[in-house]
């Protein structure tokens, strides 16, 4: 491990040159470790302690630190999870993937009395394990030590606000503010628990939706989860998606569920009167050929540089078709009273007038074909 000569600036510069790329490498490694275990973290960041801060820490505790080389937090890495229970999940991965200095590592949650609230976090002093040190991409970091903090996003919010207010402990708080601090910290802990509960309920709901889709589609209302499952499992929709994508000269994006897109389409479907999955399937089937005909009129392959379209793009065209099947006055009322974006339909993009014009072209061509 690289050494400092006391608080020598030049030595600090040399070690910082190693720690900075080490921090970058660790962020990528930790992200991949989490993803491989199915955990999506909010952020992973690192910092190399500033020279002034390092020197001040050594000067403050000369009996504890013989020099800057004795500091275990010269490189600090922070993992912020979305949920509190993921802190322990990440901690288990860390203990299996790195060499841990357990003597100097601490679970700050265990330091709080049961009736006290405050900053909660897992802190580890780590280095690469022997296997990873032997890999060419990590060999230059052999023996380097770093500090890792793991906390939830709400725990992070608490720590950041507490730090900004300048109070380092409950003892430093003015008497009248201690209770207010504890109440706020308790609310954040409760929120952490409730968010985790909402996540678990969402997973259970998604599983129930998958089980009910084939047997009871009429019982499943239109929302982000039901639309997401419908988009993946309905063969008619997949066929429509593929044909529309060909018209656009693009491919269909298959990378899992697109929650924002599904949520947007769910809102649009409800706005045009589609209330459950059974009705959605019926509307797709009854409007199948009209969606394709409308798509041929509407789509301009040169209109966008995008290389792909989201799975479920046919729902966008189903909504368009449902709108133009109304009278123009009725369509305007629906747009003005629903969640359909007025800025697109009635404003600058003026989708409504364009959609009715394209629909007229569809009707004219159909009439010519049957005459």
């Amino acid at each position: 491990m690289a050494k400092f000569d006391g608080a020598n600036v030049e030595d600090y510069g040399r070690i910082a040159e190693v720690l900075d790329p080490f921090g970058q490498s660790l962020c990528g490694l930790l992200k991949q470790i989490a993803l491989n275990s199915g955990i999506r973290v909010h952020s992973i960041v690192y910092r190399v302690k500033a020279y002034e801060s390092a020197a001040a820490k050594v000067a403050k505790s000369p009996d504890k630190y013989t020099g800057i080389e004795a500091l275990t937090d010269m490189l600090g890495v922070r993992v912020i999870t979305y949920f509190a229970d993921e802190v322990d999940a990440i901690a288990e991965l860390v203990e299996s993937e790195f060499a841990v200095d357990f003597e100097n590592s601490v679970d700050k949650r265990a330091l709080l009395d049961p009736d006290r609230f405050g900053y909660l976090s897992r802190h580890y002093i780590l280095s690469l394990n022997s296997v990873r040190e032997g890999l060419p991409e990590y060999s230059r970091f052999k023996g380097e030590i770093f500090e890792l903090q793991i906390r939830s996003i709400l725990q992070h919010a608490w720590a950041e606000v507490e730090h900004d207010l300048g109070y380092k402990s409950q003892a430093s708080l003015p008497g009248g503010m201690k209770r207010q601090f504890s109440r706020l910290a308790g609310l954040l802990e409760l929120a952490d628990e409730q968010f985790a509960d909402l996540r678990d309920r969402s997973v259970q709901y998604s599983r129930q939706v998958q089980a009910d889709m084939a047997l009871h589609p009429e019982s499943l209302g239109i929302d982000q989860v039901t639309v997401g499952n419908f988009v993946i499992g309905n063969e008619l929709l997949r066929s429509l998606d593929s044909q529309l994508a060909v018209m656009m000269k693009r491919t269909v994006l298959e990378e899992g569920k697109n929650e924002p897109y599904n949520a947007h389409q769910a809102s649009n479907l409800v706005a045009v009167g589609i209330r459950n999955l059974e009705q959605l399937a019926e509307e797709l089937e009854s409007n199948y050929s009209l969606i394709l005909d409308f798509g041929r009129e509407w789509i301009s392959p040169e209109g966008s540089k995008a290389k792909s379209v989201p799975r479920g793009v046919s729902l966008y065209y189903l909504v368009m078709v449902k709108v133009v099947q109304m009278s123009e006055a009725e369509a305007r009322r629906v747009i003005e009273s629903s969640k359909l974006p007025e800025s697109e339909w009635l404003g600058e993009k003026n989708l409504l007038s364009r959609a009715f014009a394209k629909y007229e072209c569809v009707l004219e061509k159909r009439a010519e074909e049957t005459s």
Side-chain angles (χ1 to χ4, degrees), residues 5 7 17 21 40 99 138 157 159 184 207 212 222 225 245 321 339 341 344 350 352 361 369:
D5 179 18
E17 285 181 356
R40 188 168 57 92
Y138 296 111
L184 286 171
R207 289 172 180 165
D212 288 347
I222 299 296
V225 175
V321 164
K339 293 183 179 180
E344 292 185 7
N350 204 1
L352 187 61
C361 293
E369 290 172 359

Side-chain angles (χ1 to χ4, degrees), residues 175-194:
M177 294 170 61
K178 288 182 181 180
R179 179 172 175 79
Q180 188 175 6
F181 250 79
S182 291
R183 287 168 61 196
L184 286 171
L187 285 173
L188 286 179
E189 287 191 43
L190 180 61
D192 248 336
E193 294 175 1
Q194 291 297 306

Side-chain angles (χ1 to χ4, degrees), residues 38-231:
I39 302 174
R40 188 168 57 92
V41 298
H42 175 266
S43 61
I44 302 176
V45 296
Y46 78 96
R47 65 98 184 99
V48 177
K49 188 181 284 292
Y51 171 77
E52 293 79 6
S53 177
K57 187 169 184 177
V58 172
K60 185 178 180 180
S61 305
D63 295 336
K64 185 176 181 180
Y65 303 114
T66 57
I68 297 181
E69 76 280 358
L71 298 177
T72 58
D73 63 345
M74 276 297 299
L75 173 62
V77 182
R78 179 177 295 151
V79 178
I80 299 177
T81 68
Y82 283 100
F83 303 99
D85 57 1
E86 291 173 341
V87 171
D88 288 326
I90 294 291
E92 288 183 16
L93 293 173
V94 165
E95 291 182 17
S96 67
E97 295 284 347
F98 294 90
V100 183
D101 178 358
F102 285 102
E103 184 177 348
N104 290 300
S105 300
V106 62
D107 182 352
K108 290 204 171 185
R109 299 170 302 178
L111 301 180
L112 285 175
D113 293 332
D115 62 342
R116 298 286 293 278
F117 299 110
Y119 163 55
L120 309 175
S121 183
R122 292 289 292 263
H123 286 224
Y124 284 102
I125 303 302
L126 304 169
S127 58
L128 297 175
N129 60 29
S130 58
V131 174
R132 195 160 273 122
E133 281 183 338
L135 299 176
E137 62 267 37
Y138 296 111
S139 59
R140 62 177 171 149
F141 306 128
K142 183 177 181 179
E144 297 293 348
I145 294 172
F146 66 98
E147 180 188 67
L148 177 71
Q149 298 178 1
I150 314 168
R151 57 174 81 150
S152 76
I153 193 168
L154 289 184
Q155 291 164 357
H156 180 64
W158 166 265
E160 290 294 291
V161 172
E162 186 179 47
H163 180 269
D164 186 64
L165 289 174
Y167 296 109
K168 301 296 184 183
S169 68
Q170 288 273 351
S172 66
L173 283 167
M177 294 170 61
K178 288 182 181 180
R179 179 172 175 79
Q180 188 175 6
F181 250 79
S182 291
R183 287 168 61 196
L184 286 171
L187 285 173
L188 286 179
E189 287 191 43
L190 180 61
D192 248 336
E193 294 175 1
Q194 291 297 306
F195 275 127
D197 182 62
L198 283 171
R199 175 204 59 197
D200 294 341
R201 289 180 62 188
S202 179
V203 171
Q204 292 170 4
Y205 175 59
S206 184
R207 289 172 180 165
Q208 189 62 50
V209 166
Q210 293 174 36
D212 288 347
M213 275 185 64
L215 298 176
H216 306 289
E218 75 286 350
S219 70
L220 298 173
I222 299 296
D223 58 42
Q224 175 181 313
V225 175
T226 57
V227 168
N229 281 277
F230 185 89
V231 160

Side-chain angles (χ1 to χ4, degrees), residues 243-260:
Q243 294 180 73
L244 290 168
V246 169
M247 295 178 198
M248 300 180 211
K249 297 181 181 180
R250 303 180 205 168
T251 58
V252 179
L253 192 62
E254 295 284 6
E255 296 178 2
K257 295 180 180 178
N258 187 338
E259 284 88 356

Side-chain angles (χ1 to χ4, degrees), residues 240-308:
L240 275 168
D241 280 354
S242 298
Q243 294 180 73
L244 290 168
V246 169
M247 295 178 198
M248 300 180 211
K249 297 181 181 180
R250 303 180 205 168
T251 58
V252 179
L253 192 62
E254 295 284 6
E255 296 178 2
K257 295 180 180 178
N258 187 338
E259 284 88 356
Y261 186 79
N262 294 335
H264 181 63
Q265 295 310 325
S267 177
N268 290 346
L269 291 167
V270 171
V272 296
I274 298 175
R275 303 300 179 189
N276 58 60
L277 292 192
E278 182 178 51
Q279 186 184 359
L280 176 56
E282 292 171 351
E283 292 285 359
L284 275 176
E285 184 173 2
S286 62
N287 289 288
Y288 185 90
S289 62
L290 182 54
I291 289 171
L292 291 176
D293 287 346
F294 186 85
R296 291 186 187 97
E297 291 295 325
W298 184 266
I299 292 168
S300 171
E302 291 75 30
S304 172
K305 295 181 180 180
K307 295 181 179 179
S308 62

